[in-house]
Amino acid sequence: ITEKEAVRISRFLSLVLRHQPETIGLMLDENGWADVNLLIEKCNQQGVALNRELIEHVVATNTKKRFSFNEQKDLIRANQGHSIEVDLALSSQVPPEILFHGTAERFVSPIKEHGLIKQQRQHVHLSAEESTAVQVGQRHGKPFVFSVLTGQMHQDGFVFYLSDNGVWLTDHVPAKYLSF
Ligand code: HQG
């Protein structure tokens, strides 16, 4: 399998496991899991060539570890990034003092005014590494990185989750916790 094909499959899995399972007639359970065999069957019906081996390759090698199997490896889900409502059943975690959020320059002034607001996704996404935040911001335009006073937020009662692939998730970051 070429790198290009792996990226294509990862993108397609992101679409169906995070945003639009209905495009292939798939259902996720309340925790975001899809049956692997059904996923393969539904994809093949839609003319998307996919098999167990390709999925295992993508799960194992995906740069951001976007997907996980359950223990029995009969179910698969996206580790984060959903726009559809799923309960990942993550337990809350104490965040480090500072986390980073990468965005595009054109969003800086509304963010300074309203704080970080989740848009289509289920959470605001934060990263431990500033370099990751730069990459995330670049997806939207000229990158700009906010530091978030997450230690202070935690003290003030805000709740944080850490996805299985290391992305920090929270509901909302009021502007007063942003540093720039
Ligand atoms: C911005 C990738 C205006 C926010 C990454 C961001 C991540 C505001 C955009 C994951 C705002 C939402 C998520 C406000 C926030 N006014 N704009 N008040 N508050 N925004 O894609 O964090 O590669 O939903 O700054 O690694 O960019 O897909 O979130 O620019 O973990 O696996 O609204 O996606 O993962 O954009 O990215 P997104 P994100 P994958």
Side-chain angles (χ1 to χ4, degrees):
I1 174 172
T2 64
E3 175 64 17
K4 209 174 148 193
E5 195 182 356
V7 169
R8 191 184 60 80
I9 292 170
S10 168
R11 293 235 168 93
F12 185 74
L13 290 179
S14 288
L15 174 75
V16 297
L17 297 177
R18 290 172 169 178
H19 308 298
Q20 290 173 26
E22 70 279 4
T23 52
I24 56 163
L26 189 71
M27 294 258 284
L28 308 185
D29 75 8
E30 57 178 354
N31 305 123
W33 295 105
D35 182 276
V36 177
N37 290 332
L38 202 59
L39 169 70
I40 293 169
E41 190 186 310
K42 297 279 187 185
C43 283
N44 291 341
Q45 278 170 8
Q46 301 292 317
V48 180
L50 197 65
N51 57 43
R52 174 110 211 164
E53 198 189 343
L54 290 172
I55 293 181
E56 288 201 6
H57 176 85
V58 169
V59 171
T61 63
N62 187 256
T63 44
K64 289 172 75 177
K65 300 210 173 302
R66 290 181 174 86
F67 314 101
S68 290
F69 289 117
N70 65 342
E71 262 175 52
Q72 293 89 332
K73 294 181 86 174
D74 57 346
L75 304 176
I76 185 172
R77 76 175 180 185
N79 288 321
Q80 40 74 223
H82 299 81
S83 57
I84 49 179
E85 202 175 310
V86 295
D87 175 7
L88 294 175
L90 301 171
S91 45
S92 61
Q93 303 273 333
V94 178
E97 274 306 306
I98 301 278
L99 286 170
F100 299 96
H101 178 86
T103 189
E105 276 190 351
R106 68 182 184 286
F107 300 142
V108 168
S109 93
I111 290 172
K112 284 180 180 171
E113 189 176 346
H114 304 290
L116 294 171
I117 298 173
K118 59 188 176 190
Q119 312 286 320
Q120 264 65 262
R121 300 187 204 254
Q122 295 263 91
H123 297 98
V124 169
H125 290 222
L126 305 172
S127 52
E129 299 293 331
E130 192 169 0
S131 56
T132 308
V134 173
Q135 286 170 18
V136 172
Q138 252 156 11
R139 293 158 51 250
H140 300 285
K142 190 156 182 277
F144 183 94
V145 174
F146 284 101
S147 301
V148 183
L149 307 177
T150 42
Q152 190 63 52
M153 284 181 73
H154 174 253
Q155 272 184 33
D156 293 347
F158 287 80
V159 177
F160 292 83
Y161 301 96
L162 182 59
S163 74
D164 285 343
N165 62 335
V167 178
W168 285 91
L169 306 170
T170 194
D171 202 47
H172 170 59
V173 177
K176 68 169 177 177
Y177 298 106
L178 296 171
S179 148
F180 42 84

